[in-house]
Amino acid sequence: MEVQVYNFINLDYLDMMSDGDLEMKKVMLDMLFEELPTELAKMRELTNAEDWKELSSVAHKMKSTLSFIGCDAMTTANTDIETICNNGEGNLATISVKMETLESNLEKVMPELKTEHAKL
């Protein structure tokens, strides 16, 4: 089987967690398709509302989801958001920049995740 090379995702962790079970991998990808856009939209709403405590909580939950994607830019931006909120440094300008990184990368990773899903 030909190995697909992606520009924005690294599915090594997903492959390890699915342990060669293609059906499990497909289920996990389905979960990502649903959860990623929904959770990022929630994070954007919380950013706009300047609800740093809840934003920190959602960002914390997103860490495990983002680990399956393997997009360093998204992982770093998400970690930064959680850290900024937890340190009481939450401010709209800084967090909005991090959110833009998450959102712009979402547009790049989704097609690659769909390509991988179509192979299963």
Side-chain angles (χ1 to χ4, degrees):
M1 182 163 80
E2 182 181 329
V3 175
Q4 178 80 40
V5 177
Y6 294 110
N7 294 315
F8 301 103
I9 62 174
N10 178 336
L11 299 178
D12 291 348
Y13 184 67
L14 177 65
D15 290 336
M16 182 186 77
M17 294 304 289
S18 60
D19 195 29
D21 182 340
L22 297 183
E23 191 57 38
M24 174 59 75
K25 185 174 180 179
K26 190 172 187 177
V27 166
M28 293 169 91
L29 285 168
D30 286 338
M31 182 258 325
L32 290 173
F33 294 141
E34 185 175 323
E35 194 169 308
L36 273 173
T38 302
E39 293 302 306
L40 287 183
K42 185 187 299 181
M43 289 176 73
R44 172 52 76 186
E45 289 173 17
L46 293 167
T47 298
N48 292 343
E50 299 187 40
D51 185 344
W52 309 133
K53 183 177 181 189
E54 186 60 25
L55 179 59
S56 171
S57 176
V58 176
H60 181 76
K61 288 186 272 185
M62 281 293 288
K63 285 197 287 194
S64 59
T65 302
L66 290 173
S67 66
F68 289 108
I69 300 168
C71 176
D72 291 340
M74 290 183 82
T75 300
T76 300
N78 185 68
T79 300
D80 289 349
I81 288 170
E82 182 184 15
T83 301
I84 292 165
C85 290
N86 286 340
N87 290 341
E89 300 166 7
N91 73 65
L92 189 57
T94 304
I95 292 177
S96 285
V97 170
K98 303 295 181 183
M99 281 303 305
E100 287 167 17
T101 299
L102 286 171
E103 292 161 342
S104 66
N105 278 283
L106 178 66
E107 295 171 12
K108 298 170 186 172
V109 302
M110 289 303 274
E112 292 187 359
L113 291 171
K114 288 178 180 175
T115 297
E116 185 68 19
H117 188 273
K119 293 173 17 183
L120 301 174

